[in-house]
Amino acid sequence: MNDAGALTDTTTTDGIDLSAVAGRVDAGGSLADFIWFRTGGPAEYLVRPRDVDDLAAMLASLDADVPVLPVGVGSNLIVRDGGVPGVVVRLPKAMATVGIKDGQVRAGAAAMGITVASAARDAGIAGLEFLRGIPGTVGGAVRMNAGAYGRDVGDILIEATLVLRDGSVETWDAARLGYTYRHSAVPVGAIVVEAVFAGTPGDPTTIGAEMDRIAAEREASQPLRSRTGGSTFKNPEGHKAWALIDAAGCRGLRRGDAQVSEKHCNFLLNLGNATAADIEALGEEVRDRVKAHSGVTLDWEIQRVGVEK
């Protein structure tokens, strides 16, 4: 039975039967309500499973050709205006717990980076401070090998637990995840549900001071209070994406209500009424201008999902 407030029409003829999900199921669930850009189309089905067992059972029950997309807080995401076919999974707060054992940090995939960094600080575990500068969840960070301030998740990850697309639950060590820059071997449709991180013994005061420094630097250099999607493009080998964008004359460039941030030009902004198409088209224009100016091709870091309207 679905949680109170969930829609009850959860059985369709297209291979999506969610009637047995114990958590919440919303047909046509809004994604623009919570993703950072605050724009884009709905999910065909937005599912918030009750726990890992509920998630695994749901994935096992779905036809193999039904697309499944995990979404955290949507901090690095463009959802196209036509919406997202299939099932979008958003993990519940119950899967956001963080604990310390034997000098290691065990975090549910719905936990925010700042929560993990704070727990490590309080336990006197250094090396996770950079997570303070990653505005997303553990699940997304593990999947994309998120990084900031010279460190990546691959530097600290011991293992991650995944629910695979067929509903099986596996624990993968860091080597199996095959980390490269902003990429991992997490399979399409698989969902990270927990991660274990390692650090080194440290002084909580010193760790806290480094976290404060990171927070202040982000506040000074990034448009944190705007509708944005975080870093838009990956840094090409030997370059900084923002510098290439600036040199190509794109700082402040607009398309409708989509704008290249004047504060940090590797950030795109929704000034109010930008569509997802406006934002993505502006990003492609930036890529074209950078290519013409410097010969460097920028690769998207922001994930773009769904169908055009």
Side-chain angles (χ1 to χ4, degrees):
M1 180 179 295
N2 301 111
D3 286 345
L7 301 187
T8 56
D9 182 14
T10 57
T11 304
T12 71
T13 58
D14 56 7
I16 304 179
D17 180 356
L18 302 170
S19 58
V21 173
R24 182 183 174 95
V25 178
D26 289 306
S30 174
L31 302 178
D33 282 348
F34 66 88
I35 68 166
W36 280 28
F37 274 123
R38 293 297 193 271
T39 192
E44 185 175 359
Y45 289 96
L46 177 59
V47 177
R48 298 170 179 87
R50 179 170 293 175
D51 50 29
V52 173
D53 290 341
D54 192 28
L55 172 63
M58 180 197 72
L59 292 179
S61 72
L62 291 175
D63 287 354
D65 59 352
V66 173
V68 173
L69 175 71
V71 174
V73 293
S75 57
N76 204 230
L77 189 67
I78 293 173
V79 175
R80 294 184 174 117
D81 300 302
V84 181
V87 175
V88 174
V89 175
R90 195 174 190 206
L91 299 181
K93 291 182 179 179
M95 296 173 69
T97 58
V98 180
I100 309 295
K101 184 176 181 181
D102 299 328
Q104 298 176 350
V105 182
R106 183 178 295 271
M112 295 292 291
I114 185 175
T115 305
V116 178
S118 297
R121 174 201 62 207
D122 295 346
I125 299 174
L128 283 71
E129 297 89 341
F130 74 96
L131 293 176
R132 173 65 179 84
I134 296 176
T137 61
V138 166
V142 169
R143 173 177 288 273
M144 71 171 289
N145 191 21
Y149 305 97
R151 303 211 76 194
D152 300 320
V153 165
D155 297 329
I156 60 172
L157 186 76
I158 298 174
E159 63 184 28
T161 301
L162 285 64
V163 181
L164 303 183
R165 179 58 183 81
D166 63 3
S168 59
V169 181
E170 295 184 0
T171 298
W172 291 19
D173 62 24
R176 187 174 178 186
L177 285 164
Y179 278 133
T180 55
Y181 177 64
R182 303 296 176 263
H183 177 77
S184 77
V186 173
V188 173
I191 299 174
V192 178
V193 293
E194 188 177 69
V196 180
F197 302 110
T200 57
D203 173 59
T205 301
T206 302
I207 296 167
E210 174 62 8
M211 288 173 59
D212 290 345
R213 183 194 70 79
I214 288 171
E217 185 172 325
R218 290 186 69 236
E219 180 71 32
S221 64
Q222 299 176 11
L224 301 181
R225 304 184 190 281
S226 302
R227 296 180 179 183
T228 183
S231 295
T232 305
F233 302 107
K234 299 176 183 179
N235 288 324
E237 186 71 31
H239 298 278
K240 294 290 187 181
W242 76 264
L244 294 170
I245 295 167
D246 200 16
C250 296
R251 185 182 294 269
L253 184 67
R254 284 186 64 168
R255 179 177 291 235
D257 261 5
Q259 182 185 43
V260 177
S261 171
E262 295 182 352
K263 188 172 187 179
H264 190 311
C265 42
N266 196 26
F267 283 64
L268 301 182
L269 309 179
N270 176 2
L271 299 180
N273 295 305
T275 64
D278 292 334
I279 296 167
E280 187 170 5
L282 178 61
E284 289 298 336
E285 183 175 351
V286 168
R287 295 180 74 234
D288 290 343
R289 291 192 180 204
V290 168
K291 178 68 173 178
H293 180 266
S294 65
V296 177
T297 298
L298 292 177
D299 292 327
W300 285 89
E301 181 171 323
I302 288 180
Q303 188 179 9
R304 295 157 296 143
V305 300
V307 297
E308 296 178 358
K309 192 169 183 178

